[in-house]
Amino acid sequence: MDDKIRIVLERARNASYTARKLAEKYGYLPYMIERYIEMLGQDNVIDLLEANESPLPETIRCNDYLIDCNELKTRLEEKGFRLTPIPQFSRYGYRVDHAPISIGATHEYLQGYYYVQGASSMSIVHAMDLPVPGTIIDMAAAPGGKSTQILQMTRDKSLLIAVEKNPKRIKSLRSNIQRMRFSNYILLRKDNLSLDFSNLFDSVLLDAPSTGEGIIRKDPRRKKSRDILDLIKIHELQVKMLKKAIEFAKPGASIVYAACSLAAEEGEFVINRILEEYPEIEIEPHGLIASQAITEYFGLILDDRIKKCGRYWPHIHGYEGFFVCKLRKKK
Amino acid sequence: MQAKKEKMIRKASSLEKGLIDEFCASIGVEPSRCYSRLYVLDIRGAPFKDVFDPSPSVLSFLKNRLGWNAYSIGFYLGILGKNNFEPSLPLAHKLARLCPEKIKCVTLNSEGEKYFLYGKPVFGENIIEYNSLGPVLVENTLREALGWGILVLEDNTKYGRRLVLRPVKDLGWYLRKGG
C-alpha cells in the first residue's frame, strides 16, 4: 500500500469526538466525517452534510445531434415540465424543476433527444480534447452518459471505443448509444486492465469506478457502505486504471481522469502517485467551474501541480460530488 | 434480444444477406437504403445473430486491433433468426424520412402513439394514414419513427372489419428491456 494513503487512513480512523457525533447524527461512518472535516473545516462540513440530506436535482443533457435544444425545451414544457438551462455545467444541460411524469419516460426520451445525466457528470466531457476525426476511448463506459456525449460532441465522426466489463451494465450502454442514434462506436465487454492498446488513442476518458461518495444524495446507503479497506482497494484499482489510461494515450494526447467521489484518496492521491512515477505526465487546466483540488491533507503535502485539478462539492456547486483532472502525455 | 457473449464478427453470408434483402423488399425499399455493409455477430448456441452496418473506421479498428472480436459495433440493423430478419429501432429511424412515398408505413395520432409505445395494438380510429398492409414502419404525425409493426385488416364480431396495427418492435422497448 502507498505510504501516504496508509498514514492518511490511520489518521482518519482515529475520528475526533466531533466527527463521531456528526457521524452519529447524519448516519455516516466516522472516518468519512473526519476526512471531510480535514478538507473543509468544521463549519463547512455541516453545509456538506446538510446538502447531502436534500435530493439531487434532476438534470438532462439535450442531444443536439438529433434536435435543436430550444425545440426540445419547448416540447417538454408543453407537456408540463419546467426546465432551467445550466450552461455553467454544459451548454446542453437543463435542470428539471418540475416533472408531471418521470423525465425518463417521455416520448422525447425514447426518441433519443436527451439523456438523464448529473450536472457535474455532463461537465466532465467538456474537459476532454475531442479531435474530429479521431480515436477516443471511454475506459469505464456504462451506462453511457459520457460515451453518448462524446459521440454527440464529435457529431458521430470520431471513433469511440467504449469499454465495460459488467455484463448487465454493458446492456444499458448499448441501449443508450442506440437510443441516441450513434453508430461510430465499438463496445468491448472487457476488463480494461487486460487490454493492449499502447499509444493508440487521441483522447482518453477514465471515469473510474469509485466509492460513490459524490452521490450520497442519490444513494444514502453510501454513507456506510464502504469502509477504509474498501477505500484502499478502490484507490489501488484507480491507480492501476489510470496507468493503463496513460499507456493507451498517444504521445501528446490528453487523459481526463474523473471519479464520482469526494474522497481525496480517489482523486488527489491517485494523481499524486501518477506524478511521482511518470515524469512524462503533466497537468493542464480542466476549464470547468469546479473548485481547486486540495494539496494538503492530514499534514501531508501533495504535488503542487494538483491544484490544477478540480472538485465539485454538493454544497457549493449544487449537484454530485466529483473529482476531475486533465493530464497530458508529453510528446 | 441481442448478443449476450462477446463473439466473432464476420461478413454476412449470401443466405443471410438474402433474408435482409427480403425484408427490405417487404417494406418496399431497395437494400441499398437499408445498409451499406453487412456484418454479423455470431453467438455460439444462440438461435439468433446480431447484424450491423459498421463504418470503415469501425471495420479498420476491428480488424487491426481487435481481431474481429467485440460486443457491439456501429449501426445496428437488427436480428437474424434462422429464417427471418427482425429490424432494429435504429433502422426505423434511418428509414423514417422515406415515409410515406418510398416505404410502406403507417402514421398514428397521439393516442395511437401511446398505445404503440406500450407495445399494444392500435386500432383504425388512431391510424391517420397508411399506404400498405403487412410489415410497416410506424411513425407519429411529426414523422418521427416509433418502430415496426404489421398492419392487418381483421374481422371482429363487435366492430366488423377494421384496421389493426400489431407492434413488432416499438421504442418503448428501450424502457421495458433496454437495460
Side-chain angles (χ1 to χ4, degrees), chain A residues 313-326:
Chain A
W313 293 100
H315 63 297
I316 295 172
H317 302 97
Y319 296 92
E320 327 92 276
F322 244 101
F323 176 84
V324 60
C325 198
K326 183 171 186 177

Side-chain angles (χ1 to χ4, degrees), chain A residues 47-283:
Chain A
D47 291 344
L48 170 65
L49 298 177
E50 284 296 326
N52 275 350
E53 294 304 300
S54 62
L56 186 63
E58 233 170 2
T59 45
I60 61 170
R61 191 191 81 243
C62 160
N63 181 7
D64 77 332
Y65 182 66
L66 296 180
I67 190 170
D68 177 88
C69 293
N70 290 324
E71 187 188 334
L72 172 66
K73 186 170 182 276
T74 302
R75 280 179 66 158
L76 289 174
E77 286 177 344
E78 280 171 1
K79 293 183 172 180
F81 290 91
R82 278 207 311 272
L83 304 177
T84 304
I86 46 168
Q88 66 274 34
F89 289 91
S90 170
R91 59 183 177 272
Y92 314 113
Y94 294 88
R95 188 180 64 236
V96 183
D97 294 327
H98 175 74
I101 59 167
S102 165
I103 191 69
T106 68
H107 292 190
E108 285 74 14
Y109 176 82
L110 295 176
Q111 288 289 342
Y113 293 157
Y114 63 90
Y115 190 99
V116 181
Q117 184 177 19
S120 310
S121 173
M122 71 178 82
S123 80
I124 303 298
V125 175
H126 291 281
M128 294 179 70
D129 290 340
L130 296 173
V132 179
T135 310
I136 300 167
I137 186 166
D138 182 352
M139 292 176 61
K146 295 180 188 68
S147 280
T148 53
Q149 192 174 352
I150 290 166
L151 288 162
Q152 175 184 338
M153 290 175 68
T154 56
R155 317 315 279 174
D156 209 19
K157 285 184 164 57
S158 294
L159 174 63
L160 176 73
I161 308 300
V163 186
E164 175 59 49
K165 73 171 180 181
N166 182 303
K168 279 187 183 166
R169 285 169 57 83
I170 200 167
K171 284 178 75 175
S172 309
L173 171 63
R174 179 181 55 195
S175 174
N176 280 318
I177 289 181
Q178 289 175 2
R179 179 177 60 83
M180 299 188 82
R181 300 188 226 169
F182 297 111
S183 58
N184 208 2
Y185 68 90
I186 295 176
L187 302 190
L188 298 178
R189 199 182 72 191
K190 299 269 189 195
D191 180 345
N192 55 34
L193 296 175
S194 73
L195 295 171
D196 180 19
F197 290 146
S198 266
N199 299 317
L200 192 59
F201 292 96
D202 300 305
S203 183
V204 178
L205 173 64
L206 173 59
D207 181 9
S210 74
T211 56
E213 273 186 52
I215 49 164
I216 283 172
R217 298 169 82 173
K218 202 169 159 185
D219 182 6
R221 289 171 306 172
R222 290 172 194 264
K223 290 176 178 177
K224 285 193 167 169
S225 62
R226 300 282 194 275
D227 64 19
I228 285 184
L229 288 177
D230 293 326
L231 189 55
I232 292 166
K233 279 184 203 160
I234 287 170
H235 166 83
E236 292 297 333
L237 178 65
Q238 289 163 335
V239 171
K240 272 188 202 167
M241 284 189 178
L242 187 49
K243 287 179 177 178
K244 204 70 182 169
I246 291 165
E247 181 190 319
F248 290 173
K250 278 180 184 168
S254 70
I255 301 128
V256 168
Y257 172 82
C260 181
S261 179
L262 301 175
E265 297 82 355
E266 300 181 71
E268 288 87 345
F269 279 75
V270 172
I271 302 300
N272 199 68
R273 278 182 71 180
I274 294 298
L275 292 175
E276 282 173 353
E277 286 185 42
Y278 290 83
E280 73 271 32
I281 290 296
E282 53 192 20
I283 299 184

Side-chain angles (χ1 to χ4, degrees), chain B residues 32-89:
Chain B
S32 61
R33 298 266 198 189
C34 291
Y35 63 86
S36 303
R37 303 162 200 87
L38 278 183
Y39 282 79
V40 170
L41 178 68
D42 273 325
I43 306 138
R44 196 177 303 157
F48 63 89
K49 296 161 190 165
D50 283 337
V51 190
F52 299 93
D53 181 0
S55 67
S57 58
V58 166
L59 282 176
S60 167
F61 197 94
L62 197 60
K63 180 185 169 191
N64 298 324
R65 295 288 175 176
L66 298 170
W68 299 101
N69 188 304
Y71 181 81
S72 183
I73 54 158
F75 188 86
Y76 178 54
L77 276 169
I79 298 167
L80 266 176
K82 200 171 179 183
N83 294 309
N84 69 320
F85 172 70
E86 185 185 299
S88 71
L89 295 168

